[in-house]
Amino acid sequence: MGFFDKLKAGLEKTRKSFTEKIEQLVIGYATIDDEFLDDLEALLLSADVGVPTTARLMTEIRSGIKSKEINSPDDLQPFLKTKISAMLLSKAQAEPVFYKPPVVMLIVGVNGVGKTTTIGKLASYYHEEGKKVLIAAADTFRAAAIDQLEIWGQRTGTEVIKHAEGSDPAAVAFDAVQAAKARKVDIVIIDTAGRLHTKSNLMEELKKINRVIAKEIPDAPHETLLVLDATTGQNAINQAKLFGDAVRLSGVVLTKLDGTAKGGVVIAINNELSLPVKWVGVGEGVNDLRPFDAAEFAGALFADK
């Protein structure tokens, strides 16, 4: 199964809570009236599209009615597909900036979102592209995280820089960046602790890691990716805002998209945050994490059953 087919299959729950409900709504109304629009608004909110994004889409729909782009309920789904596709594409990832190696990627997020697994899958992805990758196990508060990264390192042929449990995470990051420079590594992927995002000490720790990395490589980290669990819906937006207050995020990795009816959060993240969704995960397999393609996502969301 190709990745698009996996994405389409992974979005089945979201499609049932979103596009199929729109189809059912359309069947139930002969004309567009206030009751129809109220029901549509409630439907969008239930799919975790979010209040600001729902308000924007409803404004677009009312404008479409006035301009005669929407003349009946049957016109609604193709209109929404066009608008949502345009919304996603407007925040689509720009052409990548090419930095002089080593490129440093800092991975942040709360525990349980799939952060460590994401790092392993990223290492595998870049390894398959012929890149030399190094992983830094800077989540020193969980021995399990270090062990898990070592397993991924063995699986993907990737060196893992680690210290003892409870060590200073910034020291691990510093050693990893130094090792990467000495060994001509292409990409350094740094894990970080995922304790409660409301804890100020964690945020200070992230800032310290950033400072230490920047001393070795002035423009690093080149990417700071926030891993979010799609099944948490709107809570993912709140996490992004809190982490964004502590570090300069460059994008989002959205995991577990195949296990939720809340895939509408992709639209909300694109609309509400000044952050592109850069990677999406739709399964447990090592190849089930891939760069996010806005047009592909919209196509899968509105795909024929």
Side-chain angles (χ1 to χ4, degrees):
M1 186 185 287
F3 189 73
F4 175 79
D5 292 324
K6 286 183 179 178
L7 182 61
K8 183 178 172 182
L11 285 171
E12 183 180 357
K13 290 179 182 177
T14 295
R15 212 162 32 244
K16 283 183 176 176
S17 74
F18 185 61
T19 51
E20 288 184 22
K21 284 186 179 177
I22 291 174
E23 289 171 9
Q24 291 164 10
L25 181 65
V26 166
I27 292 168
Y29 285 88
T31 58
I32 293 176
D33 55 19
D34 288 342
E35 187 180 352
F36 174 85
L37 292 174
D38 287 345
D39 285 350
L40 176 60
E41 187 171 14
L43 192 157
L44 290 170
L45 289 169
S46 72
D48 271 75
V49 173
V51 174
T53 310
T54 295
R56 177 178 168 181
L57 287 171
M58 292 306 297
T59 298
E60 297 262 23
I61 289 163
R62 289 187 171 92
S63 296
I65 293 167
K66 284 183 181 177
S67 66
K68 304 296 185 184
E69 288 178 82
I70 301 173
N71 297 299
S72 73
D74 288 336
D75 297 331
L76 181 67
Q77 184 140 319
F79 180 87
L80 267 179
K81 180 178 181 180
T82 299
K83 293 300 178 183
I84 289 172
S85 297
M87 195 182 290
L88 291 170
L89 287 165
S90 71
K91 292 282 181 72
Q93 189 173 345
E95 286 298 311
V97 177
F98 293 98
Y99 297 101
K100 180 183 176 182
V103 173
V104 181
M105 301 175 70
L106 192 67
I107 311 299
V108 302
V110 300
N111 286 334
V113 294
K115 186 159 49 71
T116 311
T117 302
T118 293
I119 290 166
K121 290 179 179 180
L122 284 171
S124 176
Y125 179 88
Y126 287 118
H127 183 74
E128 286 180 10
E129 288 204 326
K131 305 291 186 186
K132 187 174 181 181
V133 184
L134 185 147
I135 294 172
D139 180 358
T140 60
F141 296 91
R142 288 195 311 130
I146 299 170
D147 293 343
Q148 196 177 350
L149 284 178
E150 286 198 294
I151 291 168
W152 275 107
Q154 291 163 10
R155 190 182 300 175
T156 60
T158 305
E159 183 181 0
V160 178
I161 300 294
K162 65 172 186 174
H163 287 190
E165 184 182 357
S167 301
D168 180 3
V172 181
F174 177 80
D175 284 356
V177 171
Q178 279 205 319
K181 288 167 69 177
R183 296 164 201 172
K184 294 186 167 31
V185 164
D186 296 302
I187 297 170
V188 185
I189 306 174
I190 302 175
D191 190 16
T192 61
R195 290 161 299 157
L196 288 175
H197 51 278
T198 51
K199 298 292 185 183
S200 60
N201 60 338
L202 172 59
M203 297 313 181
E204 289 305 315
E205 179 183 292
L206 290 175
K207 291 176 185 176
K208 182 180 177 184
I209 290 173
N210 269 273
R211 289 194 302 270
V212 164
I213 294 168
K215 281 182 182 176
E216 280 297 297
I217 303 175
D219 55 352
H222 306 99
E223 288 262 29
T224 300
L225 298 175
L226 174 64
V227 182
L228 296 172
D229 179 343
T231 64
T232 64
Q234 284 297 297
N235 188 46
I237 301 284
N238 298 329
Q239 288 177 28
K241 289 175 179 174
L242 285 161
F243 271 97
D245 289 341
V247 289
R248 186 170 55 84
L249 299 170
S250 61
V252 167
V253 180
L254 201 61
T255 65
K256 308 176 189 179
L257 199 56
D258 57 316
T260 181
K262 298 178 179 181
V265 75
V266 173
I267 306 164
I269 289 169
N270 270 264
N271 184 51
E272 293 179 43
L273 305 172
S274 56
L275 287 174
V277 176
K278 291 198 171 184
W279 298 81
V280 288
V282 292
E284 297 298 322
V286 69
N287 295 318
D288 290 341
L289 181 77
R290 281 291 181 267
F292 177 71
D293 183 309
E296 195 175 66
F297 177 86
L301 181 61
F302 288 93
D304 295 331
K305 297 183 284 297

